[in-house]
Amino acid sequence: MTKRKLIITIDGGGIRGIIPLVVLRQIQNQLDKSLFDISDKWYGTSTGALISAGILIQDQDTFSNAVQNVLDIYEFRSGSSVNPLGSSKPERALHKILDENFEENTFERLPKLHVVSCKKSDFSVEVFSLKNNVSVAESLKASCAVPGIFDPVKIKGDYYIDGFIKAKNPALIALENEIQNENLILLSLGTGILREIDETEIQVRATHKQCEELAAKNGFHYFRFNPTLEEAADNMQDARLKNIFALKKDTENYLERKKSKLDDLIRLLN
């Protein structure tokens, strides 16, 4: 029997990264195997890149512990990352966390990781991975460099900004070099369906629709989990405890409603 290939993609969305973390926790709770062992590639944009890297760097621990450790950072340290020590330069706390946790690691340490960013010069998408093997910490800083909030990040002579400009949802990018057949599973994790719809959100939805169409055409398995925000705020910088609880509640309620879809995924993965 041919081994199935699992690709996990995680959207950008700031503090709303709590949503995919809760989804991953629930998937692992229902699995007989570790997602460390059965996942082949991870693609993340902005907060999705942080989550992917934060989990993968802990591959000597259990997957459940790895997810919880990242969730703890979002719950207890996000406020300082949004506005560290009252500073007008919010990258200070985030960069400190990245430097502390990834040190001098390159993608040789995290070969499954793919970090989505954009070149500042022309907004073209750049995927940092084992192929270009730069500093993981610097690639994550680049993927999170929201214009107007974070400074662009220079890597090998070019300046990079947040990947959400062109690929908040990196699912299509993940499919670009894959053989699309029944052995492929694409698990796409969103950061919430927002009340306010702008050009970026239209792009996110269009990417989802294209993935659905490609899956129907080519026969691969596509799962997208992305709850509508009901109690939680749209604002990706709202790190208030009340909003963190609301993000978790919205996601848990959504997963209850999507139990059948989640069960279908678990059957495939087990």
Side-chain angles (χ1 to χ4, degrees):
M1 181 179 176
T2 305
K3 179 186 179 296
R4 287 203 165 102
K5 185 172 189 177
L6 173 62
I7 298 175
I8 298 173
T9 70
I10 306 179
D11 292 13
I15 190 63
R16 299 195 312 273
I18 285 171
I19 292 170
L21 284 164
V22 172
V23 176
L24 286 168
R25 181 174 65 185
Q26 183 61 37
I27 291 170
Q28 183 59 69
N29 286 344
Q30 294 184 227
L31 277 176
D32 297 333
K33 311 168 185 176
S34 169
L35 275 169
F36 278 138
D37 296 332
I38 62 175
S39 60
D40 294 275
K41 294 181 181 180
W42 291 65
Y43 284 77
T45 300
S46 196
T47 203
L50 294 178
I51 291 167
S52 300
I55 290 172
L56 290 172
I57 198 71
Q58 301 178 76
D59 57 1
Q60 299 305 306
D61 203 341
T62 66
F63 190 87
S64 294
N65 284 348
V67 169
Q68 189 58 51
N69 289 337
V70 178
L71 191 54
D72 287 346
I73 292 175
Y74 273 75
E75 290 191 48
F76 302 118
R77 294 185 67 175
S78 290
S80 63
S81 295
V82 170
N83 191 17
L85 305 177
S87 169
S88 61
K89 301 288 283 183
E91 68 262 36
R92 279 180 54 196
L94 176 62
H95 288 190
K96 186 173 186 292
I97 291 171
L98 295 177
D99 290 335
E100 287 174 352
N101 286 278
F102 296 97
E103 299 175 335
E104 300 302 317
N105 283 307
T106 66
F107 285 83
E108 289 180 352
R109 170 66 181 84
L110 300 174
K112 295 181 180 181
L113 180 63
H114 298 72
V115 175
V116 179
S117 183
C118 286
K119 282 188 178 179
K120 183 186 176 185
S121 58
D122 59 5
F123 301 127
S124 60
V125 173
E126 180 77 23
V127 179
F128 295 107
S129 68
L130 188 58
K131 288 184 177 179
N132 39 31
N133 204 28
V134 298
S135 158
V136 171
E138 293 306 304
S139 71
L140 293 172
K141 292 172 188 177
S143 186
C144 295
V146 181
I149 301 176
F150 292 79
D151 292 333
V153 176
K154 188 176 183 180
I155 299 176
K156 292 186 175 179
D158 288 310
Y159 285 93
Y160 295 91
I161 55 176
D162 196 311
F164 88 89
I165 301 293
K166 287 287 187 178
K168 179 183 175 184
N169 177 352
L172 275 177
I173 292 170
L175 285 174
E176 285 180 356
N177 299 310
E178 298 299 330
I179 298 172
Q180 298 177 24
N181 59 27
E182 69 277 3
N183 295 316
L184 177 65
I185 303 170
L186 176 59
L187 172 58
S188 172
L189 304 179
T191 53
I193 297 173
L194 309 184
R195 299 166 184 84
E196 297 293 327
I197 306 302
D198 58 14
E199 186 176 331
T200 299
E201 294 309 308
I202 291 171
Q203 186 183 81
V204 166
R205 296 182 185 192
T207 296
H208 170 50
K209 184 176 181 181
Q210 285 179 270
C211 287
E212 285 185 318
E213 292 170 351
L214 286 170
K217 176 183 176 182
N218 298 324
F220 66 90
H221 304 278
Y222 172 60
F223 294 85
R224 170 89 169 158
F225 293 95
N226 192 32
T228 298
L229 298 185
E230 296 174 351
E231 295 189 23
D234 284 10
N235 186 351
M236 70 176 184
Q237 291 183 280
D238 189 345
R240 294 174 301 159
L241 191 59
K242 176 183 177 181
N243 192 51
I244 287 170
F245 283 142
L247 286 164
K248 293 166 75 173
K249 183 178 179 182
D250 282 350
T251 309
E252 288 162 357
N253 290 341
Y254 167 83
L255 290 173
E256 287 182 13
R257 295 193 298 270
K258 296 295 181 179
K259 183 179 183 303
S260 177
K261 180 179 176 181
L262 187 60
D263 288 345
D264 288 343
L265 171 64
I266 298 302
R267 277 192 290 272
L268 273 175
L269 296 179
N270 275 336

